[in-house]
């Protein structure tokens, strides 16, 4: 018997919750992140609390789970309802923390997600000074994807005074968020 979309997504969530296999969890989370790309699934994913699942996975030690959760949030946050949910759930901080990941895909998804989450109300948090400093460092990266994305973030989401303040602060510190591995 063929499962409907909601039932299939529910089966994935249930499998994620009950399995003890790390590999199975990674595969299920990757599938959920891929389903998060399709707006037809947004309501079902909200109903199944997949946004909370993705947010919870951002603090895991397993980099693969973090990568897929960050990718899933990135896919979901263009939707206004999902964006508001993530903001209300205090999701910006764990997303910012993903900027320090050594996994390139996690970092790229985190930067993109911060862009998508930036609203007049959330701008102070998504473009806080440590984030702007981090984007300045990323803009100097040899990694073209990352440097281009960070440059767009600085140009489109930050004010010139914010960028200047971060530049001045960066001149006085040797400690920063490490660049992801290529």
């Amino acid at each position: 018997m063929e499962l409907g979309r909601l039932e299939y997504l529910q089966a994935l969530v249930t499998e994620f919750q009950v399995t003890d296999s790390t590999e199975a969890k990674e595969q299920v989370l990757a599938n959920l992140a891929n389903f998060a790309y399709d707006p037809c699934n947004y309501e079902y994913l909200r109903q199944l609390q997949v946004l909370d699942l993705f947010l919870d996975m951002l603090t895991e030690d397993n980099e693969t789970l973090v990568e897929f959760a960050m990718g899933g949030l990135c896919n979901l946050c263009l939707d206004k309802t999902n964006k508001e949910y993530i903001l209300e759930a205090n999701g910006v901080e764990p997303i910012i923390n993903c900027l320090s990941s050594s996994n390139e895909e996690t970092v790229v998804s985190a930067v993109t997600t911060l862009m998508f989450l930036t609203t007049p109300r959330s701008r102070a948090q998504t473009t806080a000074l440590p984030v702007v400093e981090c984007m300045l460092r990323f803009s100097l990266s040899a990694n073209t994807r990352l440097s281009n994305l960070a440059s767009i973030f600085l140009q489109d989401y930050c004010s010139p005074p914010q960028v200047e303040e971060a530049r001045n602060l960066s001149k006085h510190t040797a400690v920063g968020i490490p660049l992801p591995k290529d």
Side-chain angles (χ1 to χ4, degrees):
M1 183 173 156
E2 189 175 316
L3 292 177
R5 190 180 298 249
L6 176 63
E7 292 80 12
Y8 182 75
L9 292 170
Q10 174 66 70
L12 285 174
V13 171
T14 300
E15 182 179 351
F16 184 87
Q17 292 168 337
V18 301
T19 188
D20 291 328
S21 164
T22 300
E23 188 177 312
K25 281 187 181 293
E26 290 171 354
Q27 187 175 7
V28 169
L29 206 61
N31 284 324
L32 288 170
N34 286 334
F35 280 107
Y37 189 73
D38 186 347
C40 293
N41 295 322
Y42 290 169
E43 182 60 40
Y44 300 131
L45 294 171
R46 282 193 295 269
Q47 185 178 338
L48 297 170
Q49 299 176 319
V50 173
L51 283 92
D52 290 319
L53 175 64
F54 287 155
L55 288 168
D56 289 344
M57 291 297 105
L58 294 183
T59 58
E60 285 294 310
D61 291 331
N62 179 322
E63 268 297 324
T64 303
L65 291 176
V66 175
E67 175 188 341
F68 294 146
M70 193 66 257
L73 286 170
C74 187
N75 287 341
L76 288 169
C77 70
L78 275 174
D79 175 74
K80 184 179 179 183
T81 303
N82 292 337
K83 177 187 304 196
E84 287 302 314
Y85 186 88
I86 294 165
L87 293 172
E88 293 296 320
N90 298 313
V92 173
E93 184 179 337
I95 292 166
I96 289 171
N97 291 339
C98 287
L99 294 174
S100 64
S101 174
S102 60
N103 180 311
E104 177 187 343
E105 293 305 318
T106 300
V107 174
V108 167
S109 291
V111 173
T112 305
T113 302
L114 288 173
M115 294 166 117
F116 293 156
L117 291 176
T118 300
T119 66
R121 197 181 84 221
S122 68
R123 185 174 302 276
Q125 193 177 13
T126 59
T127 64
L129 189 56
V131 175
V132 179
E133 282 184 281
C134 182
M135 294 303 161
L136 281 170
R137 291 192 67 234
F138 288 165
S139 72
L140 302 173
S141 172
N143 180 318
T144 307
R145 284 176 67 205
L146 187 56
S147 66
N148 287 345
L149 199 54
S151 295
I152 291 167
F153 186 95
L154 292 166
Q155 181 180 340
D156 292 356
Y157 296 90
C158 303
S159 69
Q162 281 179 302
V163 175
E164 190 59 34
E165 182 182 2
R167 272 199 181 99
N168 290 334
L169 195 59
S170 294
K171 291 176 187 174
H172 304 291
T173 181
V175 179
I177 297 173
L179 293 172
K181 296 174 188 166
D182 290 332

